[in-house]
Amino acid sequence: MVVSGVYWQKKLLPRHCPPLACDSAPLCRSTGLLPLACSQGSASFPVGSFPPGPVWSPPRMQGAAAHRAHQAPSTMGALGRPGTILLTYLLAALELTCLFMQFSILPYLSRRLGLDPVAFGYLQTTFGVLQLLGGPIFGRFADQRGARAALSLSFLAATAFYLLLAAACSPALPGVLLLFASRLPSVLMHTLPAAQMVITDLTEPEERPAALGRLGLCFGVGVILGSLLGGTLSTACGLHCPAVVASMANLLGAVLSFTCIPASTKGASVSAQAAQPGAPKLSVFDLKAITRLLLLPGVLPVFLVKVASGFPSGLFMIMFSIISMDFFQLEAAQAGYLMSFFGILQMVIQGLVIGRLSRRFSEEALLRASVLVFVVVGLAMALMSNILHFCFLMPGLVFSLCALNVVTDSMLTKAVSATDTGTMLGLCASVQPLTRTVGPTIGGLLYRSFGVPIFGHVQLAVNFVIFLFLWRNPVSHKGDKAR
């Protein structure tokens, strides 16, 4: 039977329709209705048959819609996407609070155990090297095993870290040996990169800088609350008390991570693709796969900018405890107030200012601005002579540090696939341990030979060269490869 004209019936899964072959084709694509018969010129097709043509498929979703479609509700657990993000922020604040509690008692514990400055430097270097080696491997583990396993492992390692530190406070045990042994679990202590991976996976690309910037609030809470609790508990109950409290808090973090964080935040489609039967078996310790990310288009320039631009200011911050005593002539309490001011500035700038700027300006513009402010701060640092000058330039220094870290992390995670965001964030997390590892030697040599102004001169020169490079060679990425 041959029918002229067009008749329609509703179908759940349309088969195919000739693209632009008749007037009804656009309507067929937009409404999901299929023609029972189609008359096109002198050609007629029987009822229930379809003219030859490519298989019709719904239009592909782009951007935010596609990202939300990848996040299947069943993979988000009982908390849902907003609850998972909020819990991730709380877990990051908990870990950072415990970390700064440890920083507040470590110098006093080292002095009580009889460590000289050289041995204390070895202790800090050991911590930095282990963090440097563990960052990329932990990130790859997070990509393969999921957010729940990564956060749980990090908190369990931190629990062992603080228990060994508490044991080192006991006079009946070999304190120096236990103090160095307490550094060993730090190779797996990467809660902040794991939290960044969760935030990256669960936020849309255009919201990513603001979401990552809110982790600055967690850092500020950790600086202020951790320092306060560490000093108060150690004075009231002894040096072992902050370590015991931190171990219990991290054990609570491990329980919350295991029970409330979803097994994977990569999305259903990405997880299914990674679990295909024909997919090759991936190893957590595959260094070639880790370094391969740096060779992707546009990744290496941004990563080198991240390392080189922040390195001079990292040297200054490493030497700041000595500079505050020798150059600024500050007492211990005054130095503590200054660090609290630094933490509050970081909370405000990274948690509030960076998010607003990222909605109005491109990441390329923010990266250039951070490097340019580094240049101005370097010039001011070379000319400063008292603590008042440093207080005036501190907001610019904090803005540059926050903008550089947030923007480069966002750009690098957009440049890799969704299955590699954890590994890339692990590489980013290795930048700070690298500075802590080589910084004391280089910073001490520069400070002893040239004084405080050399840090400003180095920052000015390095970032001026980087600014010229960014001006002539844009490093922004077109689109979001991870989606």
Side-chain angles (χ1 to χ4, degrees):
M1 180 176 66
V2 176
V3 181
S4 62
V6 178
Y7 298 88
W8 304 89
Q9 70 176 7
K10 190 79 175 179
K11 294 287 185 182
L12 293 177
L13 295 175
R15 298 180 185 175
H16 57 265
C17 177
L20 303 180
C22 63
D23 295 337
S24 64
L27 182 61
C28 169
R29 291 186 181 84
S30 62
T31 62
L33 299 174
L34 293 183
L36 282 175
C38 177
S39 176
Q40 178 183 352
S42 59
S44 297
F45 303 97
V47 174
S49 65
F50 296 88
V55 176
W56 183 88
S57 60
R60 295 184 62 185
M61 293 179 291
Q62 302 293 333
H67 179 71
R68 284 191 294 268
H70 286 166
Q71 302 295 340
S74 61
T75 64
M76 287 297 99
L79 294 179
R81 178 173 167 268
T84 301
I85 292 176
L86 179 60
L87 178 60
T88 302
Y89 285 133
L90 293 177
L91 290 175
L94 176 66
E95 193 270 343
L96 289 167
T97 300
C98 295
L99 187 65
F100 280 94
M101 287 172 62
Q102 182 258 159
F103 288 155
S104 66
I105 67 171
L106 189 60
Y108 301 98
L109 177 59
S110 301
R111 181 188 302 171
R112 195 175 80 176
L113 293 176
L115 294 183
D116 57 12
V118 176
F120 184 75
Y122 290 153
L123 184 69
Q124 296 292 76
T125 301
T126 302
F127 184 80
V129 170
L130 289 173
Q131 289 260 293
L132 175 64
L133 296 177
I137 296 175
F138 183 87
R140 188 162 175 80
F141 173 83
D143 281 333
Q144 295 185 13
R145 304 299 180 183
R148 177 188 298 168
L151 285 170
S152 300
L153 178 63
S154 178
F155 277 112
L156 288 176
T159 302
F161 176 90
Y162 293 112
L163 285 177
L164 288 171
L165 186 63
C169 298
S170 174
L173 297 175
V176 176
L177 179 61
L178 289 172
L179 183 60
F180 275 89
S182 69
R183 307 296 102 178
L184 296 179
S186 64
V187 73
L188 299 175
M189 289 172 52
H190 298 279
T191 302
L192 189 58
Q196 288 176 321
M197 186 195 74
V198 174
I199 301 301
T200 298
D201 291 338
L202 298 185
T203 54
E204 296 152 5
E206 58 271 18
E207 298 176 355
R208 191 171 300 168
L212 291 174
R214 293 188 193 103
L215 285 172
L217 292 173
C218 304
F219 186 88
V221 169
V223 172
I224 298 172
L225 192 59
S227 301
L228 178 63
L229 287 176
T232 303
L233 292 176
S234 61
T235 302
C237 306
L239 289 177
H240 67 282
C241 187
V244 173
V245 172
S247 64
M248 296 175 60
N250 278 274
L251 187 60
L252 174 63
V255 173
L256 290 175
S257 300
F258 187 77
T259 56
C260 300
I261 295 295
S264 176
T265 55
K266 299 295 184 184
S269 61
V270 178
S271 300
Q273 181 182 1
Q276 288 179 355
K281 187 68 174 180
L282 300 177
S283 172
V284 174
F285 301 97
D286 190 354
L287 298 181
K288 290 184 179 179
I290 296 175
T291 56
R292 172 185 57 83
L293 298 180
L294 295 176
L295 302 180
L296 293 176
V299 171
L300 189 58
V302 178
F303 188 78
L304 292 178
V305 167
K306 180 182 183 69
V307 174
S309 182
F311 187 74
S313 58
L315 292 179
F316 177 81
M317 296 306 298
I318 287 174
M319 301 299 299
F320 183 74
S321 59
I322 296 178
I323 293 173
S324 62
M325 291 187 297
D326 296 344
F327 187 76
F328 293 135
Q329 300 294 317
L330 297 182
E331 300 293 335
Q334 295 171 330
Y337 296 149
L338 190 62
M339 291 307 297
S340 298
F341 178 55
F342 184 89
I344 293 173
L345 279 177
Q346 182 160 1
M347 286 180 61
V348 174
I349 293 176
Q350 189 167 336
L352 302 175
V353 176
I354 300 297
R356 295 177 182 272
L357 292 177
S358 65
R359 288 190 288 267
R360 300 190 60 180
F361 302 98
S362 66
E363 291 176 339
E364 177 79 17
L366 289 177
L367 183 59
R368 290 178 180 174
S370 66
V371 175
L372 182 60
V373 175
F374 264 137
V375 173
V376 178
V377 170
L379 178 61
M381 193 180 296
L383 301 175
M384 71 177 179
S385 59
N386 55 55
I387 188 61
L388 183 61
H389 295 164
F390 181 69
C391 289
F392 281 127
L393 65 87
M394 188 180 285
L397 178 64
V398 174
F399 168 79
S400 297
L401 289 171
C402 294
L404 177 71
N405 291 328
V406 171
V407 171
T408 52
D409 286 350
S410 177
M411 295 175 72
L412 289 171
T413 53
K414 290 178 182 179
V416 301
S417 66
T419 57
D420 292 323
T421 53
T423 307
M424 178 53 68
L425 288 169
L427 286 170
C428 295
S430 299
V431 174
Q432 188 176 3
L434 174 64
T435 306
R436 287 202 303 262
T437 302
V438 302
T441 303
I442 299 176
L445 180 62
L446 292 176
Y447 179 66
R448 185 176 61 183
S449 303
F450 305 101
V452 173
I454 189 61
F455 297 104
H457 293 144
V458 172
Q459 183 164 306
L460 171 64
V462 171
N463 282 278
F464 183 73
V465 173
I466 294 174
F467 182 77
L468 293 180
F469 169 78
L470 293 176
W471 189 264
R472 301 188 61 180
N473 303 278
V475 293
S476 59
H477 303 289
K478 300 295 183 180
D480 186 9
K481 296 182 182 179
R483 310 296 168 201

